[in-house]
Amino acid sequence: MTKRNIVTGDICPADYDLLRGVSDLDTGNDIMTTGQEGEGGEKWSRRSTVSLAKGERFSPDVVLVFSGKHRSSGESDDELQEALRTRLRVMESSSQDISSLFKDLSARLLSVHAERDCFILTFKTVEEIWKFSTYLSLGYVARCLENFLCDPSFWLDPALLSDVEICVSLQEEHLATLYLGLLLQEGVFFAKAAHAVEAVEGDDERLVCVCDALLLVRDVGQEDLWEATLLSSGDRGLVPSASVQPLPYPFYQWFLRKYPCSASGLSTDTPLGQHPIATGMCVAAVDYEPADADELLLHEGEELAVEGFLLQGLDLFVGRSLTSGLMGFVHKKHVKPGDLKPTSPELQFMTVEEREDLYQLEPSLTHSHTHLLKQLCASDISTVYRMDKLDESDFTYIKSTPKPDPQANSMQQTVDTPPPRHSWTWPRPSLAASQRSLGRSVGSVSGAGECMSFCMDETFREAEPLEDDAPLWEELSEWEEESCEDLLSLLDTPTQLEEAEARRRRRQGPTAAAQYQPHLALAALSLDSTPSRGLGHALMRLHLHLRSSERLHASGEGQLQEQRQLCISLAWVYLHHGALPEAVLSAEKAVEAGSCLGEEEEFEARALHGWLLVLVGSAERAKAELTPLLMSLQGSDSPSPQGVVHTLLALSLRRLGNASQAGAHLVMALRLAQDSGHTPNQAVALSNLGCLALGTGAVGVAEGFLRRSLRLFQQLGGGADQEHVQSLLWMGRSYSSSGQGHKARLANETALLIAIHAKNIHSQMVVAKVLSRHYANQMLYGQSIIYYEHCVALARQLRDKRLEGEFLEILGSLYLSINTHRSSLRSLDCTKQSLRICIDLGKRREEAESWLHAGRIYYLLQEDELTDMYLQAAVRTALRVEDPIFDASIYEEAGDIFYKGHRNQLKALPYYRDGGLPFARSTGDLLCEFRLLSKVTELLMTHKHHQEALQYALLAVQSSTATGIRLHERVAYQRLACVYEALGQCELAENYFLKCVSLGPDLTHSSDARYYCKVYTHLANITLHKLKDAFDAMGYYQLALAGAMEADDVSCVYVLLMKLAELHSSHLPNAHLSQLYTHTASSLRVRLEGLTHTPHTAQEDTLTQHTAQDS
């Protein structure tokens, strides 16, 4: 068989621009090398020729060589290289781990040669080579080997370990040859035309293409020809194999297979297309009359300024004439270059002023990062009592921490062993063991001499004042997420901060895609230099590191200590941001790690886990966690930990309904705090006792405990602000329960003053909401509005748009309830502000409801056109939610605005009939369908459209029957009877009224008897006056009379007696009965006028007897 040579050469800049986005790549050599530089090493070399003949045999093995060097000096070291060989010999016994490492990297390990410092790899598919070459160029291969060979458990010198850098290299030409061989084996690949293919006379199958055209090539079994498809046009034909040049980069093959499209490239024949993005000036080359109103009139030689950017891929740009000052679209072919300037690829969309401001920013905030890392990793759960929570209006949990207690400061050190670690008294010492477990030395911060370690002290005591200052809190959030990034760098890279910062700027590559490949995940995490995408991204990276480390490393003591500390830190961060389920999961992992360590570490993790279980409502699990923990502390001389467990057990028992045992635990916690002289814990214990008493209804007992607690908080002189505020709120609730509203208001307002003095925004918001509800319950909407306005201001300080929108919505409703023109305008303003926030946050449901509420206000202001506009906007927004149930509710509420109003009621029909009903039927919502049919029927009846109302009344009867609810059926039949009566079909009306009676309620209440009285009275009037059937009318009147007497409705009895008297006088003459009914009615009239209070007489008994005989 004749061999066909496939030659790879340089790809033209146009194709590079199309497929890669660059037009010049570094020229490589035969060796492809990557290391820790972070730039990913060199790309695939653009060699002039790498030939491979079809059928030619080649070795499928690739040799990957590794070497070690010192990161600080960049020099290699024989001693270091020998140590790496020794480590590899040890790992050869567990070849499965090495195979797993290269499997993560999409390579197949054949053998390990420690003496030659190399691994023998092979690949079976083009995709494997593409992935491996990508990981190699990004630096992941070198980093994975570094993590693998530099395990801290093997190395004795952590200083040496922190300075080790692994580099890898392989023969690029051989990898490219293997890649091309696999392409030929697959038989289908993308290529380009090495030169133009001309038409051949008599050969109709020949594909004509220009040089560098992109082709999809297939092997059709012919010796010197390939079948090719031209990507730019889709034309298909045969091309000589010598004219085909496979695209040399695996990424090209993958991309064009995954995204098949026209690949004709961008036109570069215009001189304006030399730069991808440019700004500046150009000159009109021709005179041009605009063909469209948006185009610019041109005169030859006229200078034009480019407005915005001149983009290479577009034939138009926006220009401004320097002569006329007019702006419009300009065709590139009508102008020639003037003073055009390419923009910076990094900052191309920033102004000069913005760039100058950016350059002034200091990239290194090491001191702030160090300080915040200590806060993030702090924990006072072992020694500080926790406040209870009575209901949802209370604090979720107390985030602030009281100031040091001078009395406890001297006693606690002598009583508790080891010294307690809580933020009220002493900072927690640095955990040197955690540093050693990392296997990396802790370098000193340049210019500060400050160690960066896992310091578990003062998490939120110092962060809380920043939260109350809006600008500082915004900076805190930024520092927090950056500190999480630094915390991760402590686990993966050497710990000197300047090195961590430098590496963070050089990291590359995504992390989420490698979540099931631990080796690759750790490498990607440590090399990730993408800009911060928020705290959630930082927490995800920390969680991914933790999970990947668990899968790779043995659970030694150092590793477990590291894992425990990290899990506790994550739990506190999750708790601080309200992610309670995630906090519980992190605490569970901390418990697992702590159970293999000392008692102190296990206690801290279990106490935190127990408290978090209480917060999430898993009281039974919390009790099961804390009970054995308390038993393990029996006989110890550490009162604070015992008091903590007693407190947490009490909180869980109260939620389980066991108030007596909860009280016993709280009393024990109080005694322990008194014995140790710890005033803050005493105050918290007394507050919890007051909360317990308040929850059981013992208001007097609660007030006594809370007064004692408040005196202690006052002695502390600040620091325990949230605990103090919460106790005052409970005192206010206690006063309200005992009817002392004035004292309750004073307690709540005092709590607000304390929160304002402490500049605690969270506390102010909680108290302001309590005061707002207090005044709203008393119908004092003006005072309630004042406090909600304060909540809006606080939300704006926090820059919490979601919270601000919620408060604005409440404010709008409160203003509307005042029901004045001015308050309605203020309500409209609040609603519009809330609407803007919903649009900004992308909350479609809330946006639709805000449009609807604004339309309701405009209806009250008699702005009918604006009402229609806002209601239509509400409907359009609801439709974008793509929830038929929600759509039906919005349509119904929009119709209700007109239906329940006094103007334009018929405008409700389109919303009910054309909008709500189809959605209700499509979702099978029978109740909604019945409700809408009833409203349509009622609306048409009110406006005298009786014939049209009949069809909807019949549909309503069918819908009510489907619901199976007797009340709905009765209402539907009664409305149908009314429709027939209005149409003059009184026989049918009588029939359906009797159907209503058959579905009537049991006579359990007087209202039930009154219902029968009204229906029978109406039936009697129909039969007497319209059907002219006096005998049936008499029976209905007598049944109505029985119902009125059952309901003890004297006025109704009087009216029915008079009707019966008239009926026997005019329609069914009977003088005796007429006189009897008249006389009885007269006696009842005397009762109604209040002249006499005569009880039932024998005449009434005689009346009842005669009524029964006549029936």
Side-chain angles (χ1 to χ4, degrees), residues 899 905 936-946 949:
Y899 176 74
Q905 285 187 321
V936 171
T937 305
E938 189 70 25
L939 197 59
L940 293 172
M941 283 288 296
T942 303
H943 292 82
K944 311 300 182 183
H945 301 299
H946 301 138

Side-chain angles (χ1 to χ4, degrees), residues 193 207-210 213-216 228-237:
L207 176 66
V208 178
C209 60
V210 299
L214 293 178
L215 307 170
L216 174 60
T229 302
L230 190 61
L231 297 186
S232 60
S233 63
D235 296 340
R236 182 179 298 177

Side-chain angles (χ1 to χ4, degrees), residues 57 116 310 409 479 581 875 939 994:
R57 299 184 63 83
R116 292 193 294 163
L310 194 151
N409 197 9
W479 293 344
V875 168
L939 197 59
L994 291 174

Side-chain angles (χ1 to χ4, degrees), residues 36 101 104-105 139-148 151-152 440 488-489 491-493 507-528 541-553 559 562 566:
Q36 287 283 102
L101 166 65
D104 277 7
L105 296 171
Y140 290 179
V141 176
R143 181 53 61 91
C144 285
L145 280 176
E146 182 177 322
N147 293 338
F148 184 76
D151 190 345
R440 313 270 170 88
L488 183 62
S489 72
L491 303 175
D492 285 320
T493 61
R507 293 173 193 160
Q508 293 183 357
T511 61
Q515 57 182 342
Y516 297 111
Q517 298 173 312
H519 291 285
L520 194 57
L522 289 177
L525 286 170
S526 61
L527 291 170
D528 187 7
R541 297 180 71 247
L542 286 169
H543 178 71
L544 183 56
H545 168 271
L546 181 62
R547 185 169 59 178
S548 300
S549 298
E550 288 176 352
R551 296 178 61 180
L552 290 181
H553 298 297
Q559 182 69 23
E562 171 193 336
L566 180 57

Side-chain angles (χ1 to χ4, degrees), residues 869-1091:
M869 183 181 72
Y870 274 78
L871 294 184
Q872 289 298 327
V875 168
R876 287 195 297 269
T877 306
L879 292 175
R880 290 200 295 271
V881 177
E882 297 182 354
D883 182 354
I885 296 177
F886 180 71
D887 296 339
S889 67
I890 291 296
Y891 270 112
E892 183 177 4
E893 291 183 45
D896 287 345
I897 293 175
F898 298 105
Y899 176 74
K900 298 178 181 178
H902 302 289
R903 307 185 329 276
N904 305 326
Q905 285 187 321
L906 287 177
K907 282 189 175 182
L909 280 177
Y911 294 102
Y912 289 154
R913 182 175 54 196
D914 304 330
L917 268 175
F919 281 112
R921 286 172 176 168
S922 66
T923 59
D925 190 342
L926 295 176
L927 293 178
C928 180
E929 180 183 355
F930 168 72
R931 195 167 56 245
L932 290 170
L933 288 169
S934 300
K935 289 178 180 179
V936 171
T937 305
E938 189 70 25
L939 197 59
L940 293 172
M941 283 288 296
T942 303
H943 292 82
K944 311 300 182 183
H945 301 299
H946 301 138
Q947 193 62 46
E948 188 178 359
L950 177 60
Q951 57 179 324
Y952 288 101
L954 291 169
L955 291 173
V957 168
Q958 297 175 9
S959 179
S960 67
T961 304
T963 63
I965 302 175
R966 287 173 60 90
L967 176 61
H968 291 172
E969 292 186 67
R970 190 176 72 209
V971 170
Y973 278 114
Q974 183 167 326
R975 188 171 285 113
L976 179 61
C978 292
V979 173
Y980 277 120
E981 183 182 0
L983 291 172
Q985 302 180 32
C986 297
E987 293 85 356
L988 288 173
E990 179 186 12
N991 176 63
Y992 286 114
F993 275 124
L994 291 174
K995 182 67 174 178
C996 294
V997 172
S998 67
L999 295 170
D1002 298 330
L1003 293 175
T1004 56
H1005 301 284
S1006 58
S1007 59
D1008 300 332
R1010 194 173 291 114
Y1011 168 77
Y1012 287 109
C1013 175
K1014 291 181 179 180
V1015 175
Y1016 280 125
T1017 300
H1018 193 71
L1019 276 169
N1021 292 334
I1022 291 175
T1023 54
L1024 179 63
H1025 301 295
K1026 295 183 179 181
L1027 296 177
K1028 307 301 181 182
D1029 189 342
F1031 188 80
D1032 284 353
M1034 179 189 66
Y1036 289 137
Y1037 278 133
Q1038 290 173 348
L1039 289 172
L1041 178 62
M1045 296 177 68
E1046 181 70 25
D1048 197 19
D1049 190 339
V1050 179
S1051 61
C1052 188
V1053 170
Y1054 170 77
V1055 171
L1056 290 169
L1057 287 173
M1058 293 300 297
K1059 286 182 177 292
L1060 283 170
E1062 182 187 1
L1063 185 144
H1064 285 291
S1065 173
S1066 303
H1067 301 282
L1068 295 174
N1070 189 325
H1072 174 69
L1073 287 177
S1074 176
Q1075 183 180 5
L1076 182 61
Y1077 287 131
T1078 302
H1079 179 73
T1080 306
S1082 299
S1083 62
L1084 286 177
R1085 181 177 182 181
V1086 174
R1087 287 182 58 188
L1088 289 171
E1089 292 175 352
L1091 299 178

Side-chain angles (χ1 to χ4, degrees), residues 72 112 158 187 275 502 522 557 648 722 741 762 781 808 835 923 1053 1060 1089:
S72 57
V112 179
H275 306 296
L522 289 177
E557 181 176 352
L648 296 178
Q722 282 193 319
H762 183 66
Y781 297 119
L808 284 170
L835 174 60
T923 59
V1053 170
L1060 283 170
E1089 292 175 352

Side-chain angles (χ1 to χ4, degrees), residues 38-221:
E39 297 296 336
E42 301 175 4
K43 313 295 185 200
W44 285 61
S45 298
R46 297 176 55 200
R47 302 188 53 76
S48 57
T49 59
V50 177
S51 62
L52 176 67
K54 184 176 181 181
E56 181 179 337
R57 299 184 63 83
F58 57 91
S59 173
D61 302 342
V62 176
V63 179
L64 181 71
V65 180
F66 72 91
S67 62
K69 66 178 182 179
H70 293 286
R71 180 178 281 104
S72 57
S73 62
E75 298 178 357
S76 59
D77 185 348
D78 293 339
E79 182 180 351
L80 173 61
Q81 189 68 24
E82 184 60 33
L84 292 173
R85 292 192 193 103
T86 303
R87 171 61 176 161
L88 186 57
R89 293 189 194 100
V90 173
M91 296 302 297
E92 276 189 88
S93 60
S94 56
S95 58
Q96 185 177 359
D97 293 338
I98 307 178
S99 299
S100 175
L101 166 65
F102 283 101
K103 184 178 180 181
D104 277 7
L105 296 171
S106 193
R108 301 168 186 261
L109 178 68
L110 296 180
S111 60
V112 179
H113 300 275
E115 297 302 326
R116 292 193 294 163
D117 304 329
C118 68
F119 303 90
I120 307 300
L121 310 176
T122 190
F123 304 92
K124 298 298 184 183
T125 64
V126 172
E127 182 179 1
E128 289 180 356
I129 292 185
W130 163 57
K131 289 184 177 180
F132 180 80
S133 61
T134 302
Y135 297 149
L136 187 66
S137 63
L138 291 175
Y140 290 179
V141 176
R143 181 53 61 91
C144 285
L145 280 176
E146 182 177 322
N147 293 338
F148 184 76
L149 296 176
C150 299
D151 190 345
S153 63
F154 177 79
W155 296 78
L156 300 178
D157 187 356
L160 174 63
L161 181 62
S162 65
D163 197 35
V164 172
E165 181 178 6
I166 301 294
C167 298
V168 296
S169 61
L170 53 75
Q171 288 189 346
E172 179 189 0
E173 181 174 338
H174 184 68
L175 188 63
T177 302
L178 179 59
Y179 157 69
L180 292 177
L182 291 174
L183 273 183
L184 291 175
Q185 290 179 8
E186 290 185 0
V188 179
F189 54 90
F190 290 93
K192 74 166 191 173
H195 50 78
V197 179
E198 304 292 341
V200 177
E201 185 176 355
D203 189 355
D204 296 335
E205 296 184 355
R206 181 64 59 94
L207 176 66
V208 178
C209 60
V210 299
C211 181
D212 295 331
L214 293 178
L215 307 170
L216 174 60
V217 178
R218 300 176 185 273
D219 182 3
V220 292

